[in-house]
PDB file of all heavy atoms in Angstrom:
ATOM      1  N   PHE A   3     115.821  98.410 100.467  1.00 46.00           N
ATOM      2  CA  PHE A   3     114.941  97.684 101.383  1.00 46.00           C
ATOM      3  C   PHE A   3     115.427  96.255 101.568  1.00 46.00           C
ATOM      4  O   PHE A   3     115.480  95.740 102.677  1.00 46.00           O
ATOM      5  CB  PHE A   3     113.513  97.696 100.848  1.00 46.00           C
ATOM      6  CG  PHE A   3     112.570  96.829 101.640  1.00 46.00           C
ATOM      7  CD1 PHE A   3     112.095  97.251 102.869  1.00 46.00           C
ATOM      8  CD2 PHE A   3     112.174  95.583 101.166  1.00 46.00           C
ATOM      9  CE1 PHE A   3     111.235  96.461 103.617  1.00 46.00           C
ATOM     10  CE2 PHE A   3     111.316  94.790 101.891  1.00 46.00           C
ATOM     11  CZ  PHE A   3     110.848  95.232 103.123  1.00 46.00           C
ATOM     12  N   SER A  17     117.722  94.988 121.255  1.00 92.00           N
ATOM     13  CA  SER A  17     117.487  95.309 122.651  1.00 92.00           C
ATOM     14  C   SER A  17     116.020  95.688 122.878  1.00 92.00           C
ATOM     15  O   SER A  17     115.402  95.274 123.865  1.00 92.00           O
ATOM     16  CB  SER A  17     118.396  96.458 123.085  1.00 92.00           C
ATOM     17  OG  SER A  17     118.112  96.861 124.415  1.00 92.00           O
ATOM     18  N   LEU A  19     113.424  94.753 121.047  1.00 93.00           N
ATOM     19  CA  LEU A  19     112.601  93.557 120.875  1.00 93.00           C
ATOM     20  C   LEU A  19     112.614  92.695 122.138  1.00 93.00           C
ATOM     21  O   LEU A  19     111.577  92.158 122.559  1.00 93.00           O
ATOM     22  CB  LEU A  19     113.092  92.752 119.671  1.00 93.00           C
ATOM     23  CG  LEU A  19     112.854  93.389 118.288  1.00 93.00           C
ATOM     24  CD1 LEU A  19     113.595  92.615 117.205  1.00 93.00           C
ATOM     25  CD2 LEU A  19     111.363  93.435 117.975  1.00 93.00           C
ATOM     26  N   ARG A  35     100.628 104.799 121.641  1.00 95.00           N
ATOM     27  CA  ARG A  35     101.130 106.172 121.478  1.00 95.00           C
ATOM     28  C   ARG A  35     101.641 106.405 120.064  1.00 95.00           C
ATOM     29  O   ARG A  35     101.347 107.436 119.442  1.00 95.00           O
ATOM     30  CB  ARG A  35     102.243 106.427 122.493  1.00 95.00           C
ATOM     31  CG  ARG A  35     102.836 107.822 122.385  1.00 95.00           C
ATOM     32  CD  ARG A  35     103.723 108.139 123.554  1.00 95.00           C
ATOM     33  NE  ARG A  35     104.361 109.433 123.387  1.00 95.00           N
ATOM     34  CZ  ARG A  35     105.038 110.059 124.338  1.00 95.00           C
ATOM     35  NH1 ARG A  35     105.146 109.513 125.523  1.00 95.00           N
ATOM     36  NH2 ARG A  35     105.606 111.223 124.108  1.00 95.00           N
ATOM     37  N   LEU A  38      98.675 106.550 117.489  1.00 96.00           N
ATOM     38  CA  LEU A  38      98.010 107.858 117.539  1.00 96.00           C
ATOM     39  C   LEU A  38      98.890 108.936 116.918  1.00 96.00           C
ATOM     40  O   LEU A  38      98.400 109.854 116.263  1.00 96.00           O
ATOM     41  CB  LEU A  38      97.677 108.224 118.984  1.00 96.00           C
ATOM     42  CG  LEU A  38      96.443 107.565 119.605  1.00 96.00           C
ATOM     43  CD1 LEU A  38      96.326 107.988 121.068  1.00 96.00           C
ATOM     44  CD2 LEU A  38      95.171 107.907 118.849  1.00 96.00           C
ATOM     45  N   ASN A  50      95.892 122.785 115.185  1.00 94.00           N
ATOM     46  CA  ASN A  50      95.033 123.913 114.837  1.00 94.00           C
ATOM     47  C   ASN A  50      93.968 124.218 115.886  1.00 94.00           C
ATOM     48  O   ASN A  50      93.097 125.054 115.659  1.00 94.00           O
ATOM     49  CB  ASN A  50      94.368 123.646 113.485  1.00 94.00           C
ATOM     50  CG  ASN A  50      95.371 123.597 112.348  1.00 94.00           C
ATOM     51  OD1 ASN A  50      95.887 124.620 111.905  1.00 94.00           O
ATOM     52  ND2 ASN A  50      95.667 122.399 111.869  1.00 94.00           N
ATOM     53  N   TRP A  52      91.376 122.612 116.917  1.00 94.00           N
ATOM     54  CA  TRP A  52      89.983 122.417 116.492  1.00 94.00           C
ATOM     55  C   TRP A  52      89.106 122.004 117.679  1.00 94.00           C
ATOM     56  O   TRP A  52      87.894 122.179 117.637  1.00 94.00           O
ATOM     57  CB  TRP A  52      89.913 121.358 115.396  1.00 94.00           C
ATOM     58  CG  TRP A  52      90.559 121.811 114.117  1.00 94.00           C
ATOM     59  CD1 TRP A  52      90.889 123.079 113.765  1.00 94.00           C
ATOM     60  CD2 TRP A  52      90.975 120.984 113.018  1.00 94.00           C
ATOM     61  NE1 TRP A  52      91.484 123.106 112.522  1.00 94.00           N
ATOM     62  CE2 TRP A  52      91.546 121.839 112.042  1.00 94.00           C
ATOM     63  CE3 TRP A  52      90.928 119.618 112.775  1.00 94.00           C
ATOM     64  CZ2 TRP A  52      92.045 121.357 110.838  1.00 94.00           C
ATOM     65  CZ3 TRP A  52      91.426 119.147 111.575  1.00 94.00           C
ATOM     66  CH2 TRP A  52      91.971 119.992 110.611  1.00 94.00           C
ATOM     67  N   ASP A  62      95.594 113.731 124.893  1.00 96.00           N
ATOM     68  CA  ASP A  62      96.198 112.969 125.984  1.00 96.00           C
ATOM     69  C   ASP A  62      95.168 112.056 126.645  1.00 96.00           C
ATOM     70  O   ASP A  62      95.464 110.912 126.999  1.00 96.00           O
ATOM     71  CB  ASP A  62      96.787 113.911 127.029  1.00 96.00           C
ATOM     72  CG  ASP A  62      97.992 114.688 126.527  1.00 96.00           C
ATOM     73  OD1 ASP A  62      98.591 114.252 125.517  1.00 96.00           O
ATOM     74  OD2 ASP A  62      98.336 115.712 127.129  1.00 96.00           O
ATOM     75  N   LYS A  74      93.553  96.615 130.254  1.00 93.00           N
ATOM     76  CA  LYS A  74      92.813  96.129 131.412  1.00 93.00           C
ATOM     77  C   LYS A  74      91.532  95.374 131.068  1.00 93.00           C
ATOM     78  O   LYS A  74      90.904  94.803 131.965  1.00 93.00           O
ATOM     79  CB  LYS A  74      92.475  97.307 132.334  1.00 93.00           C
ATOM     80  CG  LYS A  74      93.706  98.012 132.889  1.00 93.00           C
ATOM     81  CD  LYS A  74      93.336  99.205 133.759  1.00 93.00           C
ATOM     82  CE  LYS A  74      94.575  99.906 134.292  1.00 93.00           C
ATOM     83  NZ  LYS A  74      94.223 101.095 135.125  1.00 93.00           N
ATOM     84  N   LEU A  87      84.649 104.359 119.118  1.00 97.00           N
ATOM     85  CA  LEU A  87      85.259 105.300 120.049  1.00 97.00           C
ATOM     86  C   LEU A  87      86.011 106.400 119.310  1.00 97.00           C
ATOM     87  O   LEU A  87      85.888 107.581 119.640  1.00 97.00           O
ATOM     88  CB  LEU A  87      86.214 104.561 120.992  1.00 97.00           C
ATOM     89  CG  LEU A  87      87.018 105.473 121.932  1.00 97.00           C
ATOM     90  CD1 LEU A  87      86.100 106.216 122.893  1.00 97.00           C
ATOM     91  CD2 LEU A  87      88.060 104.674 122.708  1.00 97.00           C
ATOM     92  N   VAL A  91      85.242 110.428 119.513  1.00 96.00           N
ATOM     93  CA  VAL A  91      86.207 111.404 120.024  1.00 96.00           C
ATOM     94  C   VAL A  91      86.527 112.469 118.987  1.00 96.00           C
ATOM     95  O   VAL A  91      86.517 113.670 119.296  1.00 96.00           O
ATOM     96  CB  VAL A  91      87.499 110.693 120.478  1.00 96.00           C
ATOM     97  CG1 VAL A  91      88.607 111.710 120.772  1.00 96.00           C
ATOM     98  CG2 VAL A  91      87.235 109.844 121.719  1.00 96.00           C
ATOM     99  N   PHE A 107      90.711 102.975 109.202  1.00 96.00           N
ATOM    100  CA  PHE A 107      92.095 102.507 109.051  1.00 96.00           C
ATOM    101  C   PHE A 107      92.795 102.447 110.404  1.00 96.00           C
ATOM    102  O   PHE A 107      93.487 101.460 110.713  1.00 96.00           O
ATOM    103  CB  PHE A 107      92.848 103.441 108.105  1.00 96.00           C
ATOM    104  CG  PHE A 107      94.295 103.085 107.909  1.00 96.00           C
ATOM    105  CD1 PHE A 107      94.653 101.912 107.266  1.00 96.00           C
ATOM    106  CD2 PHE A 107      95.301 103.921 108.364  1.00 96.00           C
ATOM    107  CE1 PHE A 107      95.985 101.561 107.088  1.00 96.00           C
ATOM    108  CE2 PHE A 107      96.624 103.598 108.193  1.00 96.00           C
ATOM    109  CZ  PHE A 107      96.979 102.423 107.549  1.00 96.00           C
ATOM    110  N   LYS A 110      91.667  99.515 112.530  1.00 97.00           N
ATOM    111  CA  LYS A 110      92.290  98.268 112.087  1.00 97.00           C
ATOM    112  C   LYS A 110      93.717  98.167 112.633  1.00 97.00           C
ATOM    113  O   LYS A 110      94.159  97.088 113.043  1.00 97.00           O
ATOM    114  CB  LYS A 110      92.301  98.188 110.565  1.00 97.00           C
ATOM    115  CG  LYS A 110      90.933  97.998 109.933  1.00 97.00           C
ATOM    116  CD  LYS A 110      91.034  97.961 108.419  1.00 97.00           C
ATOM    117  CE  LYS A 110      89.656  97.795 107.775  1.00 97.00           C
ATOM    118  NZ  LYS A 110      89.740  97.811 106.299  1.00 97.00           N
ATOM    119  N   ASP A 118      98.992  91.477 117.743  1.00 97.00           N
ATOM    120  CA  ASP A 118     100.426  91.250 117.577  1.00 97.00           C
ATOM    121  C   ASP A 118     101.152  91.199 118.925  1.00 97.00           C
ATOM    122  O   ASP A 118     101.981  90.314 119.164  1.00 97.00           O
ATOM    123  CB  ASP A 118     101.041  92.343 116.700  1.00 97.00           C
ATOM    124  CG  ASP A 118     100.687  92.169 115.232  1.00 97.00           C
ATOM    125  OD1 ASP A 118     100.144  91.117 114.863  1.00 97.00           O
ATOM    126  OD2 ASP A 118     100.946  93.115 114.457  1.00 97.00           O
ATOM    127  N   GLU A 149     118.117 127.326 114.819  1.00 69.00           N
ATOM    128  CA  GLU A 149     118.902 128.016 115.843  1.00 69.00           C
ATOM    129  C   GLU A 149     120.068 128.758 115.213  1.00 69.00           C
ATOM    130  O   GLU A 149     120.329 129.926 115.522  1.00 69.00           O
ATOM    131  CB  GLU A 149     119.421 127.006 116.868  1.00 69.00           C
ATOM    132  CG  GLU A 149     120.272 127.642 117.961  1.00 69.00           C
ATOM    133  CD  GLU A 149     120.859 126.602 118.893  1.00 69.00           C
ATOM    134  OE1 GLU A 149     120.584 125.405 118.709  1.00 69.00           O
ATOM    135  OE2 GLU A 149     121.609 127.003 119.803  1.00 69.00           O
ATOM    136  N   GLY A 156     121.321 137.692 114.388  1.00 57.00           N
ATOM    137  CA  GLY A 156     121.567 138.548 115.529  1.00 57.00           C
ATOM    138  C   GLY A 156     120.629 138.343 116.685  1.00 57.00           C
ATOM    139  O   GLY A 156     120.564 139.173 117.595  1.00 57.00           O
ATOM    140  N   SER A 188     106.674 128.817 120.809  1.00 48.00           N
ATOM    141  CA  SER A 188     107.562 129.904 120.452  1.00 48.00           C
ATOM    142  C   SER A 188     107.618 130.048 118.947  1.00 48.00           C
ATOM    143  O   SER A 188     107.171 129.187 118.196  1.00 48.00           O
ATOM    144  CB  SER A 188     108.974 129.621 120.979  1.00 48.00           C
ATOM    145  OG  SER A 188     109.543 128.537 120.275  1.00 48.00           O
ATOM    146  N   GLY A 199     107.211 119.481 108.800  1.00 40.00           N
ATOM    147  CA  GLY A 199     105.955 119.007 108.233  1.00 40.00           C
ATOM    148  C   GLY A 199     105.185 118.228 109.273  1.00 40.00           C
ATOM    149  O   GLY A 199     104.496 118.787 110.101  1.00 40.00           O
ATOM    150  N   LEU A 203     102.838 114.159 117.710  1.00 55.00           N
ATOM    151  CA  LEU A 203     101.643 114.698 118.358  1.00 55.00           C
ATOM    152  C   LEU A 203     101.861 114.886 119.848  1.00 55.00           C
ATOM    153  O   LEU A 203     101.508 115.906 120.416  1.00 55.00           O
ATOM    154  CB  LEU A 203     100.462 113.753 118.117  1.00 55.00           C
ATOM    155  CG  LEU A 203      99.172 114.029 118.897  1.00 55.00           C
ATOM    156  CD1 LEU A 203      98.603 115.386 118.512  1.00 55.00           C
ATOM    157  CD2 LEU A 203      98.146 112.940 118.627  1.00 55.00           C
ATOM    158  N   TYR A 212     100.436 106.311 132.473  1.00 48.00           N
ATOM    159  CA  TYR A 212     101.125 105.899 131.255  1.00 48.00           C
ATOM    160  C   TYR A 212     102.226 106.855 130.831  1.00 48.00           C
ATOM    161  O   TYR A 212     102.577 106.934 129.675  1.00 48.00           O
ATOM    162  CB  TYR A 212     100.092 105.728 130.134  1.00 48.00           C
ATOM    163  CG  TYR A 212      99.067 104.687 130.511  1.00 48.00           C
ATOM    164  CD1 TYR A 212      97.786 105.035 130.865  1.00 48.00           C
ATOM    165  CD2 TYR A 212      99.421 103.338 130.575  1.00 48.00           C
ATOM    166  CE1 TYR A 212      96.863 104.066 131.249  1.00 48.00           C
ATOM    167  CE2 TYR A 212      98.514 102.374 130.970  1.00 48.00           C
ATOM    168  CZ  TYR A 212      97.235 102.757 131.297  1.00 48.00           C
ATOM    169  OH  TYR A 212      96.320 101.805 131.697  1.00 48.00           O
TER     170      TYR A 212
END
Side-chain angles (χ1 to χ4, degrees):
F3 173 76
S17 175
L19 291 170
R35 179 169 176 170
L38 281 176
N50 295 285
W52 292 344
D62 292 341
K74 298 178 181 179
L87 175 64
V91 170
F107 178 66
K110 290 179 181 178
D118 286 350
E149 179 185 358
S188 69
L203 171 63
Y212 300 107

